[in-house]
Amino acid sequence: MLDDSFLKSPRSRFRAALALAIVADAVQIVIFPLFAEGAISPLDDILDLAVMVALIWLIGWHWEFLPSFVVEFVPGLDLVPFWTLAVVNVYRKWKPIEDA
């Protein structure tokens, strides 16, 4: 079983969320188009749902996740790394609060 003690600090949770978002976007951009049928791919949809749930578990609910989730269903737009952009945007908003 994984030891989640490294996820105690918010900064560690953001690092884990960013790593997850980068990996998910890379899989969707590089690997899935080679094997899947595009926008109607169930694997792509399952990955998006799992990423959204995992990100909410790691760093909580943020409005940036909703457009990222919805736009993944639009053909062509799913080639933009929206999960990574969403996590970076949440971190950008959170960092000044932590520094204060």
Side-chain angles (χ1 to χ4, degrees), residues 8 14-15 19 23 27 47 52 56 58-59 72 87-89:
K8 296 291 184 197
F14 270 105
R15 285 184 187 140
V23 168
V27 166
L47 178 65
M52 186 168 183
I56 292 170
L58 282 168
I59 57 178
E72 293 291 342
V87 172
V88 168
N89 194 39

Side-chain angles (χ1 to χ4, degrees), residues 55 59 62 64-65 68 81-91:
L55 289 177
I59 57 178
H62 297 279
E64 286 86 349
F65 298 156
S68 297
F82 280 107
W83 289 122
T84 304
L85 293 172
V87 172
V88 168
N89 194 39
V90 170
Y91 179 75

Side-chain angles (χ1 to χ4, degrees), residues 3 19-20 30 36 40 45 58 63 71-72 76 79 85 89 97:
D3 179 24
L20 172 67
V30 177
I40 59 171
D45 299 341
L58 282 168
W63 285 106
V71 81
E72 293 291 342
L79 297 177
L85 293 172
N89 194 39
I97 295 170

Side-chain angles (χ1 to χ4, degrees), residues 5-75:
S5 62
F6 73 96
L7 293 176
K8 296 291 184 197
S9 76
R11 188 171 300 275
S12 295
R13 294 176 82 79
F14 270 105
R15 285 184 187 140
L18 184 59
L20 172 67
I22 289 170
V23 168
D25 285 335
V27 166
Q28 288 180 316
I29 292 170
V30 177
I31 297 173
F32 277 0
L34 299 176
F35 304 106
E37 57 271 9
I40 59 171
S41 169
L43 288 176
D44 201 25
D45 299 341
I46 291 168
L47 178 65
D48 286 327
L49 184 61
V51 168
M52 186 168 183
V53 169
L55 289 177
I56 292 170
W57 178 76
L58 282 168
I59 57 178
W61 168 255
H62 297 279
W63 285 106
E64 286 86 349
F65 298 156
L66 189 57
S68 297
F69 182 71
V70 171
V71 81
E72 293 291 342
F73 295 105
V74 178

